[in-house]
Each structure stands twice: as structure tokens, then as C-alpha cells.
Amino acid sequence: MQLSPTLTGMDTYTPGELVKVADGGAELDGLVFDRPSSSKVVVAVVDPNRGPLFRTVNPSALSAREQEGPDDRVLRLLVRRTPLPQSAARGATSGGQPRPGYARDATHRPTGR
């Protein structure tokens, strides 16, 4: 009997991996997009009503799949055109750059002469 990665405690889902999402309704084919934390995985899925979109799910709702599905091409296109999120939790720093809205020093204010 082979255990899934979530049952063994080795949540090893990496971006680009093919998965099945069993979160709520019907089981959907998905593609892992991002892993923001140990309790969240962002997955690209094709919703029957809304089309391709991203869902944030718990890793326990995922299971690995081997075969390519009919929606995988659309999911790969969605992932390719979406930039990866940048967050402070990933070590993204401002690098000494000013915050948006404070890019320049205040200008000289005339005294009214």
C-alpha cells in the first residue's frame, strides 16, 4: 500500500506538479502554482462554471496524478502568463528602494515673497 505525500507528512508538492483537487465538490485536475506556506498550496484548476482560475487549498485536499488531462494545456497557459507572487515571507526585500508614493524628496516650498 502506497501512502500519498500528505499522509506521510512529506508534503512535497512543487510548482508545475500535476494534482487532483478534492476540495468540496467534484474532484478536479489541477496544476500546482505556488506553495506560500506548509498549510497552503495555490493550484490552477478549471472550474466548470467559471473557467481556469487559481484556488488556495490545504495540501490534504491534494493527491498526485500521473496522466495528463484534457485541461492541462489551458492550466499551463494560465500559470505561464501569471507572475509569481512576491512577499516578505519569501525574503523579498525592498533593497533600499523607497515605498511607492514616496519616490522623491519634498520640493522646496516658497516663502511667499
Side-chain angles (χ1 to χ4, degrees):
M1 178 176 153
Q2 183 179 5
L3 296 176
S4 71
T6 56
L7 294 177
T8 61
M10 302 172 24
D11 298 330
T12 58
Y13 296 111
T14 57
E17 189 172 347
L18 299 173
V19 293
K20 286 251 186 220
V21 181
D23 188 32
E27 200 170 76
L28 300 172
D29 288 346
L31 184 68
V32 175
F33 175 67
D34 189 28
R35 179 91 192 249
S37 72
S38 62
S39 63
K40 293 180 186 176
V41 179
V42 180
V43 181
V45 295
V46 177
D47 186 282
N49 299 326
R50 298 174 56 197
L53 51 87
F54 290 106
R55 277 199 187 153
T56 303
V57 297
N58 192 304
S60 64
L62 301 177
S63 60
R65 66 181 167 105
E66 302 291 325
Q67 300 294 326
E68 292 270 330
D71 297 326
D72 285 341
R73 181 178 171 279
V74 174
L75 296 176
R76 289 189 197 285
L77 290 173
L78 176 64
V79 167
R80 186 171 23 167
R81 73 174 180 244
T82 306
L84 282 174
Q86 297 294 318
S87 69
R90 295 170 184 266
T93 60
S94 63
Q97 297 294 322
R99 294 180 304 173
Y102 297 98
R104 295 185 297 203
D105 291 332
T107 59
H108 175 72
R109 298 180 73 180
T111 60
R113 286 195 258 171

